[in-house]
Amino acid sequence: MYRVRVRSVPPVVLALRRFPNPRLTGIGAGLFASLTMFVLACVDRLLFDSSELVYGLLFLPVSALTALWVRPADLVTAPISVPIAFAVGVFPISGGSEGFGGQVMGLVTALAVHAGWLYGGTLIAGLIASVRKVRQMRARRRYVLAQGRGGAPAPASERAPRSAASAAAAAAAAAAKPVRAGAGGAGAVARRPQRP
């Protein structure tokens, strides 16, 4: 007797499956990341006195969630929307002086100081989006091969009955065609040459 092995799913995977799994459009993922980072930056300013470390550590999971929750058709937007969300969120903790010019200079300085966190979050989003894209392409290829539309020629065993059937149909059509008198063919008599 054969024993059937049942693969057990690790508890971590089961716990991750319980989390929500929305599918956001490209614009929705960008809005999600931007609003989340802005709210987290405000909380960071109130509770942690605009800590750069706290903001950077909170940016990494938001980047991962943005890349995980964007729908497959918009995967390319995840690494683009994450840096924009970082810039939107860093505004409350930039610490610029009063006036528009001072706020802009504070924002540019904060982006330069936090560049490591920015690159790290963008790299995480890019890696997750790339892995999801590769998995999607492999699943699509398996589906196409399973449907038999992979573009490969049919085996000779499948082509032979069709060609034999078409040859039989052509022979039956030729036999049923009436022959006119005087028409050339295998049984036709050769005409005599006419005199000038």
Side-chain angles (χ1 to χ4, degrees):
M1 292 190 105
Y2 294 103
R3 290 184 181 178
V4 178
R5 282 189 175 179
V6 179
R7 295 176 67 183
S8 61
V9 180
V12 176
V13 175
L14 290 175
L16 288 175
R17 286 182 183 171
R18 291 190 199 113
F19 281 102
N21 193 17
R23 286 292 170 240
L24 303 172
T25 62
I27 296 174
L31 287 174
F32 160 75
S34 299
L35 291 175
T36 305
M37 288 312 301
F38 186 79
V39 169
L40 291 176
C42 292
V43 170
D44 180 23
R45 184 174 181 176
L46 291 174
L47 299 180
F48 301 104
D49 197 26
S50 301
S51 171
E52 302 169 3
L53 179 65
V54 171
Y55 181 77
L57 287 175
L58 291 173
F59 175 65
L60 299 180
V62 170
S63 301
L65 287 177
T66 303
L68 284 171
W69 287 351
V70 70
R71 66 183 184 173
D74 296 327
L75 279 173
V76 72
T77 62
I80 297 169
S81 60
V82 165
I84 296 170
F86 186 88
V88 169
V90 83
F91 184 73
I93 63 169
S94 61
S97 60
E98 297 204 6
F100 179 74
Q103 292 292 331
V104 170
M105 287 306 296
L107 180 65
V108 171
T109 304
L111 286 175
V113 170
H114 302 310
W117 295 110
L118 175 62
Y119 293 147
T122 307
L123 180 65
I124 288 173
L127 286 175
I128 292 174
S130 300
V131 168
R132 285 187 60 200
K133 186 65 176 177
V134 168
R135 290 183 65 192
Q136 177 190 2
M137 290 167 58
R138 284 183 181 171
R140 184 181 299 159
R141 185 176 179 192
R142 271 180 284 178
Y143 175 75
V144 168
L145 290 176
Q147 295 296 321
R149 293 180 296 184
S157 60
E158 293 180 7
R159 286 196 307 259
R162 278 187 242 158
S163 60
S166 61
K177 187 176 180 183
V179 179
R180 288 186 325 207
V189 179
R191 290 185 179 180
R192 290 186 218 161
Q194 295 182 356
R195 293 182 183 174

